Amino acid sequence: MHSEEQAKRVVDQLRGRIYTALGDGGLDAEPVLELASLLEEWGMSTLATQELLERPAAHLTTADLT
């Protein structure tokens, strides 16, 4: 499998976990921060990804994550 295909698979899995967690009210920082980190690595940086990665995970609220 090509690395681009693997990257897409990882992103799709993270999106699914985040979407499901948003629906059931159980969103935690791990998948959101992992996705933000991947986007940063791939040069897809945004103000939102930068802010998430600069703040300690313990201080992120559900509102911050969404």
Side-chain angles (χ1 to χ4, degrees):
M1 182 180 297
H2 295 97
S3 62
E4 187 174 316
E5 292 172 8
Q6 289 173 323
K8 182 176 177 354
R9 176 186 269 164
V10 169
V11 168
D12 287 345
Q13 289 172 348
L14 289 169
R15 285 175 158 172
R17 286 177 54 197
I18 293 166
Y19 181 80
T20 300
L22 282 170
D24 67 17
L27 183 62
D28 63 58
E30 179 199 349
V32 177
L33 292 174
E34 188 174 346
L35 181 57
S37 179
L38 287 172
L39 292 172
E40 288 283 323
E41 285 179 31
W42 297 335
M44 300 171 69
S45 179
T46 67
L47 290 176
T49 58
Q50 292 170 12
E51 183 179 342
L52 283 171
L53 294 172
E54 289 172 358
R55 295 177 57 193
H59 296 145
L60 294 171
T61 66
T62 301
D64 295 330
L65 296 172
T66 53

